[in-house]
Amino acid sequence: MKSSSLKNVQKHHSDRHHSHPDMEEMRTFGFWIYLMTDIMIFGTFFATYIVLHNNTNGGPGPADLFELSGVIVSTFILLTSSYTCGLAVLALNKGKKQALIGWLAVTALLGAVFIGLEINEFAHMVHEGATMSRSAFLSAFYTLVGTHGLHVTVGLVWMIALMVQLSVKGITPVTKRKVNIISLFWHFLDVVWIFVFTVVYLMGVK
Amino acid sequence: MLEHIKSFASGFFVTGDPMIYGADVSILLTILAVLFTLTYFKKWRWLWKEWLTSVDHKKIGIMYILSAFLMLFRGGVDALLMRAQLAMPNSNLLQPDHYNEIFTTHGVIMILFMAMPFMFGLFNVIVPLQIGARDVAFPFLNSLSFWLFFAGAMLFNLSFVIGGSPDAGWLAYPPYSELMYNPGVGQDFYIWGIQISGIGSLMTGINFIATILKMRAPGIKLMKMPLFPWSVLSSCIAIIFSFPILTATLALLFLDRYAGAHFFTLDGGGNPMMYINLIWMWGHPEVYIIVLPAFGIFSEIVSTFSRKKLFGYHSMVYAMMIISILSFLVWAHHFFTMGSGADVNSFFALTTMLIAIPTGVKVFNWLFTMFRGRITVRTPMLWTIGFIPCFIVGGLTGVLLSVAPADFQFHNSYFLIAHFHQVIIGGVVFGYFAGLYYWWPKMFGFTLNEHIGKWAFWFWNIGFYVCFMPQYVLGLMGMTRRVVSYSWDKGWWPLNLVSTIGAGLMGIAFLFQAWQIFHGIKHYRKNRDTTGDPWNGRTLEWSIPSPAPHYNFAVVPQVSELDDWWEEKQRREHNPYVPPAKEIIEPIHMPKNSGIPILMAGFWFMAGFGFVFHWLWLTVPGLAGVAICMLAHSFNDDSDYYIPIEEIKETEAAIRKVTTS
């Protein structure tokens, strides 16, 4: 329509929002609801794992397969990435664009290392014959842990796209909201991992 | 080479049955007719710009309802075929394999591709208007939801002509839905059709929760909100907690079939009962998801046509919220016979009986609203009055089924079939029809012929009882669901024949409705709704013209009480000399149309089709396309615009000119 001639109207209006709600706040709210739905997905996979984890079908069980030292390293890498993600949001709030992109890059790098280690673990297990189709336990294991890994991978792509947007557009209300949302997502995945670490690995090798 | 193509095609396309060839031809002719009409009248551009890329909630709602009607037709044909098969003992009309496919597709289509889009259509058209908003919270996401639903529905329906239909029942219980017993692609069509449309449903749930909680016009406190948005909120809360379970469960089934996993298989340590638990953790909330909005619709209608405030508004709100929560605690009543033991069965029997309490509260509230009201029986009210006795009987047979020991007799018999059709047709379908008739003038700007509408109602209502009452008895006589035929000595023939006649009556009722709509379009000019308020309504959607302008409200309304529009009309009547509040028109912030949703749904369709046939060369580009669409949307800053004041004034003046002429 006649949008191009309306730049000044738009500017005039951006600071009085009594007639419609703040879009960025609403999108953050929507993302919180999305996270609840994601909890349900993980919840279903956790439930499946807990029900099926003893059904090893005569194949290897948790104690035979998991090497706790490697998983502890992974865990600390992911926890650290959550910390650096927090530093990125601090930089955002101070309006420091370079520091923000830098901390996001560190976060993404740590996330990539985590994924690399997970792929390595999976490859190692498959090599030993512990494939998804070996037993119900392994099906549930790969699905639960793999879904978490898939989420982290999507988060990585998203984070890289966001870094590009930040370097092009700078810190705007929109990019600010996006950084806040991905940090929510990242911390969420960290919390899920704590549960994976506890339920799958710690309780598995005990 | 030719041989190669021939052998591929005979596996790829569904062949052999003359009925299917007939359907193939009619599908092809319909597609050609649509393409020809669009090209001949040069409507492609209009279709793309005004509809396919639209983010306007009203247009998306209309597209949902249109799709729902198409699916109602297909699901209805499936139903009539089944009833035709069962009309006579030892019937050979349908082969057993074909019959399995038909009851499967009938169930899936009616629940997921008819009831759900019908419901989402009504959400879309009405909720923003009732809460004084100009659109939903996330208009782009809303469009994407619709197109994902549409892609999923088309993928599912494609199995009719390509590859073969699913045949493992509407919930695809393993082990029969597993690869070992069901090696065809039908089950994969089932998984991906539902999976893709399910993502859309989930996003709609998120969207409407945000819309209702964040977009209400000033003054609409939650407890001053009309009941329909309340019902939508309770339904959406159930959606966001239950649909992820469906997504996860179907993903597990898919891994079993695609990657050789052992979640629900009989070997490898899998557990089919796990699937049945999981699917009903979604499936039971699902039936409340679709019935709660119907409760909201009835509440609006009963109050409008009784000229009274709704009786027990607060108890209605609490009842719906309690139902929404309780719906998650009853799932095991679908398989009391599984052998979970008396403790588990008792728990689920009790929770199931508990749901009858809030539901009963609602029925009494509707009755008390009508009590001493000035009732006018127009079609929406007729459906409401028809609903109440039907739903009471359906609810009571539900209580009978909830008695776990007795359920060992009823389980999977025609008693159950009659029960759930009674609550779903009598509750959900009657409710959505009531809503459609009620809000039709608001959607399209003209009223429908009441006379034809009453014929449609009576055919539906009488047809319903004729069809399903005999099925309760058949169930008690021992007829189980999903049987393809029965012999003479069973003594089931007379009641089955009556039931089939009832189904035919409902088929005729559908024709009346189609006629009513065509009649309405033909006499569009004569039946224009120039008032914007044809029923003397109570809520905000009736305060604006019909159909609503694309920005809905030229000025955002200030609301001070429940049924604000009704109170406003009373004030004006009592005090005609008070000048209306001065309305200052400001530029309106609106979202821009986008082609990304339909494109992205197309890529999902590709990916899903690739998964069905194990064609990675199609799946990978499909998923890559999805990712590219998401990134393209993320990088796009040009997603909204402002409607200038002059344009709003012009539009409003044009509407007034029409309404006063």
Side-chain angles (χ1 to χ4, degrees):
Chain A
M1 311 244 162
K2 298 171 190 167
S3 61
S4 55
S5 62
L6 279 169
K7 276 274 152 57
N8 46 359
V9 181
Q10 205 157 335
K11 207 168 184 178
H12 179 59
H13 264 267
S14 58
D15 46 22
R16 42 191 194 122
H17 276 300
H18 62 268
S19 65
H20 70 87
D22 181 349
M23 288 306 290
E24 303 312 325
E25 188 204 311
M26 197 152 66
R27 286 172 178 146
T28 311
F29 179 71
F31 194 78
W32 274 104
I33 308 177
Y34 158 75
L35 284 184
M36 286 199 250
T37 69
D38 223 2
I39 287 176
M40 294 305 294
I41 293 210
F42 278 111
T44 309
F45 289 154
F46 269 110
T48 312
Y49 180 82
I50 290 167
V51 170
L52 297 177
H53 79 282
N54 285 327
N55 301 10
T56 52
N57 191 29
D64 311 318
L65 288 169
F66 302 150
E67 284 167 35
L68 214 47
S69 56
V71 183
I72 289 173
V73 172
S74 289
T75 304
F76 274 95
I77 288 172
L78 199 66
L79 289 180
T80 314
S81 81
S82 224
Y83 177 68
T84 56
C85 188
L87 293 178
V89 173
L90 280 181
L92 168 80
N93 290 339
K94 285 182 190 153
K96 291 180 183 165
K97 183 177 137 184
Q98 288 312 321
L100 165 61
I101 296 176
W103 284 120
L104 281 181
V106 175
T107 310
L109 196 68
L110 289 169
V113 173
F114 173 85
I115 289 297
L117 287 174
E118 185 161 286
I119 291 171
N120 188 41
E121 185 201 7
F122 281 10
H124 189 67
M125 282 170 65
V126 169
H127 188 70
E128 287 180 4
T131 61
M132 188 167 211
S133 50
R134 180 66 191 83
S135 67
F137 151 67
L138 282 164
S139 303
F141 166 79
Y142 282 113
T143 305
L144 173 58
V145 181
T147 303
H148 178 269
L150 194 65
H151 274 73
V152 175
T153 313
V154 170
L156 287 180
V157 176
W158 185 3
M159 216 176 259
I160 292 164
L162 188 52
M163 287 190 280
V164 176
Q165 284 187 26
L166 280 168
S167 61
V168 176
K169 296 171 187 167
I171 298 175
T172 67
V174 174
T175 52
K176 187 171 178 180
R177 182 255 309 165
K178 287 182 178 174
V179 175
N180 275 318
I181 281 183
I182 198 160
S183 112
L184 273 178
F185 187 64
W186 205 256
H187 295 315
F188 166 74
L189 292 180
D190 219 29
V191 173
V192 172
W193 181 257
I194 298 294
F195 281 92
V196 172
F197 181 61
T198 313
V199 172
V200 176
Y201 291 100
L202 282 182
M203 288 164 75
V205 297
K206 73 162 193 295
Chain B
M1 181 68 191
L2 195 68
E3 278 305 304
H4 194 69
I5 293 174
K6 244 184 177 170
S7 76
F8 169 77
S10 68
F12 189 69
F13 295 106
V14 177
T15 50
D17 192 321
M19 255 162 44
I20 292 203
Y21 289 131
D24 287 351
V25 172
S26 60
I27 289 170
L28 201 67
L29 286 178
T30 313
I31 292 174
L32 286 177
V34 170
L35 294 182
F36 176 78
T37 315
L38 284 171
T39 314
Y40 185 79
F41 290 105
K42 300 196 172 71
K43 288 289 185 191
W44 281 106
R45 215 182 141 72
W46 165 82
L47 185 71
W48 178 257
K49 285 191 75 157
E50 295 291 321
W51 290 91
L52 304 187
T53 59
S54 176
V55 292
D56 181 343
H57 67 95
K58 299 177 288 294
K59 287 185 175 168
I60 291 174
I62 289 170
M63 290 193 287
Y64 265 124
I65 293 173
L66 193 65
S67 319
F69 257 80
L70 289 176
M71 290 293 107
L72 177 63
F73 176 73
R74 197 206 146 174
V77 171
D78 283 348
L80 288 175
L81 280 173
M82 282 189 283
R83 282 316 320 168
Q85 161 74 13
L86 293 174
M88 295 298 285
N90 300 327
S91 170
N92 280 325
L93 180 68
L94 299 172
Q95 296 311 305
D97 291 350
H98 196 184
Y99 189 81
N100 292 348
E101 294 179 352
I102 288 179
F103 69 65
T104 302
T105 54
H106 168 75
V108 175
I109 285 177
M110 285 304 200
I111 297 286
L112 287 162
F113 301 129
M114 189 285 285
M116 291 297 280
F118 205 151
M119 172 181 95
F120 288 147
L122 293 169
F123 283 16
N124 265 288
V125 174
I126 298 307
V127 168
L129 300 183
Q130 281 199 331
I131 61 171
R134 277 166 177 153
D135 210 318
V136 295
F138 313 116
F140 175 89
L141 201 66
N142 196 26
S143 168
L144 183 58
S145 291
F146 170 75
W147 286 111
L148 286 180
F149 146 72
F150 193 76
M154 288 304 109
L155 190 61
F156 183 85
N157 277 280
L158 201 60
S159 66
F160 183 63
V161 287
I162 291 177
S165 298
D167 59 0
W170 84 281
L171 284 183
Y173 279 11
Y176 185 57
S177 57
E178 290 284 359
L179 201 59
M180 186 186 281
Y181 303 99
N182 211 325
V185 293
Q187 226 40 58
D188 300 301
F189 271 118
Y190 170 95
I191 291 172
W192 283 98
I194 295 179
Q195 210 64 313
I196 293 172
S197 69
I199 303 170
S201 305
L202 188 58
M203 295 192 310
T204 305
I206 296 175
N207 211 339
F208 277 86
I209 291 181
T211 306
I212 292 169
L213 292 182
K214 294 277 183 188
M215 303 269 288
R216 299 191 310 279
I220 309 186
K221 303 245 170 58
L222 274 177
M223 280 300 177
K224 287 180 181 169
M225 188 163 74
L227 262 192
F228 182 61
W230 263 116
S231 70
V232 173
L233 184 63
S234 59
S235 166
C236 286
I237 289 173
I239 288 178
I240 64 159
F241 288 113
S242 68
F243 266 79
I245 307 178
L246 174 71
T247 304
T249 309
L250 290 181
L252 298 182
L253 183 63
F254 178 71
L255 286 174
D256 271 4
R257 294 179 59 88
Y258 194 82
H262 289 290
F263 291 105
F264 315 123
T265 53
L266 292 175
D267 59 342
N271 187 347
M273 291 306 180
M274 181 78 193
Y275 179 92
I276 296 170
N277 270 289
L278 287 174
I279 201 80
W280 281 114
M281 283 182 201
W282 159 78
H284 198 87
E286 165 66 11
V287 300
Y288 286 95
I289 287 168
I290 55 177
V291 85
L292 282 166
F295 292 166
I297 293 167
F298 290 130
S299 305
E300 301 287 337
I301 291 173
V302 86
S303 147
T304 299
F305 290 93
S306 304
R307 301 275 172 275
K308 269 178 74 185
K309 248 194 172 55
L310 189 75
F311 185 90
Y313 172 87
H314 285 82
S315 63
M316 283 292 209
V317 171
Y318 289 120
M320 287 194 297
M321 284 299 157
I322 289 169
I323 292 174
S324 179
I325 294 164
L326 276 183
S327 72
F328 283 89
L329 300 174
V330 299
W331 78 86
H333 70 209
H334 295 270
F335 42 87
F336 281 139
T337 51
M338 190 160 101
S340 312
D343 296 344
V344 172
N345 280 2
S346 307
F347 173 82
F348 285 98
L350 280 173
T351 51
T352 307
M353 291 172 198
L354 272 180
I355 287 201
I357 296 171
T359 316
V361 166
K362 302 182 75 64
V363 171
F364 281 112
N365 282 338
W366 291 316
L367 293 177
F368 283 128
T369 308
M370 284 191 262
F371 181 63
R372 289 191 176 159
R374 274 173 289 148
I375 301 176
T376 42
V377 184
R378 312 292 295 276
T379 32
M381 189 61 177
L382 201 55
W383 286 100
T384 309
I385 297 174
F387 147 80
I388 291 176
C390 196
F391 197 74
I392 290 174
V393 176
L396 288 177
T397 54
V399 175
L400 293 182
L401 282 160
S402 77
V403 181
D407 183 68
F408 278 68
Q409 280 302 314
F410 303 139
H411 186 77
N412 273 357
S413 73
Y414 261 78
F415 189 88
L416 168 79
I417 303 293
H419 158 71
F420 75 67
H421 280 91
Q422 184 143 26
V423 282
I424 287 178
I425 296 181
V428 176
V429 179
F430 281 21
Y432 295 172
F433 282 158
L436 184 67
Y437 284 113
Y438 183 53
W439 285 305
W440 182 278
K442 188 50 63 188
M443 290 161 68
F444 297 104
F446 63 93
T447 50
L448 289 171
N449 184 301
E450 285 276 308
H451 192 65
I452 311 174
K454 284 181 180 164
W455 276 95
F457 167 76
W458 284 110
F459 266 96
W460 261 110
N461 204 43
I462 294 171
F464 172 80
Y465 287 101
V466 174
C467 181
F468 290 103
M469 289 301 127
Q471 295 188 6
Y472 282 115
V473 184
L474 282 170
L476 296 178
M477 289 166 80
M479 183 166 167
T480 52
R481 72 193 297 193
R482 294 170 180 165
V483 289
V484 61
S485 71
Y486 53 91
S487 54
W488 283 99
D489 57 355
K490 296 275 189 205
W492 298 342
W493 171 58
L495 287 172
N496 267 306
L497 185 65
V498 173
S499 180
T500 301
I501 293 169
L505 293 179
M506 285 190 276
I508 295 171
F510 182 78
L511 295 181
F512 269 108
Q513 290 180 304
W515 177 28
Q516 190 187 16
I517 290 170
F518 282 119
H519 180 274
I521 295 169
K522 203 175 155 199
H523 300 283
Y524 160 73
R525 282 176 199 290
K526 217 168 62 192
N527 299 323
R528 272 193 112 139
D529 169 32
T530 52
T531 59
D533 188 10
W535 315 112
N536 198 3
R538 311 176 72 84
T539 38
L540 280 180
E541 76 270 31
W542 306 111
S543 70
I544 51 173
S546 304
H550 64 286
Y551 46 77
N552 298 352
F553 297 89
V555 176
V556 173
Q558 287 282 338
V559 174
S560 54
E561 51 214 312
L562 183 66
D563 290 349
D564 198 72
W565 172 237
W566 175 263
E567 303 296 339
E568 174 75 23
K569 285 190 287 191
Q570 299 299 313
R571 276 196 293 274
R572 284 186 201 169
E573 207 170 284
H574 290 130
N575 218 343
Y577 301 110
V578 177
K582 208 171 160 64
E583 296 182 330
I584 306 156
I585 292 181
E586 293 174 351
I588 297 175
H589 187 205
M590 292 296 282
K592 268 190 188 166
N593 286 358
S594 171
I596 292 180
I598 184 171
L599 208 63
M600 193 159 144
F603 282 121
W604 266 114
F605 184 90
M606 268 172 69
F609 196 79
F611 273 126
V612 168
F613 283 96
H614 295 222
W615 289 347
L616 272 182
W617 56 266
L618 194 63
T619 303
V620 172
L623 291 177
V626 171
I628 289 168
C629 282
M630 284 166 94
L631 288 173
H633 179 61
S634 177
F635 278 85
N636 177 24
D637 278 336
D638 186 24
S639 60
D640 43 9
Y641 69 102
Y642 277 81
I643 310 176
I645 296 174
E646 303 79 58
E647 199 186 312
I648 303 165
K649 283 184 173 161
E650 274 165 31
T651 314
E652 291 290 305
I655 293 168
R656 243 165 256 148
K657 214 165 140 193
V658 171
T659 54
T660 49
S661 66

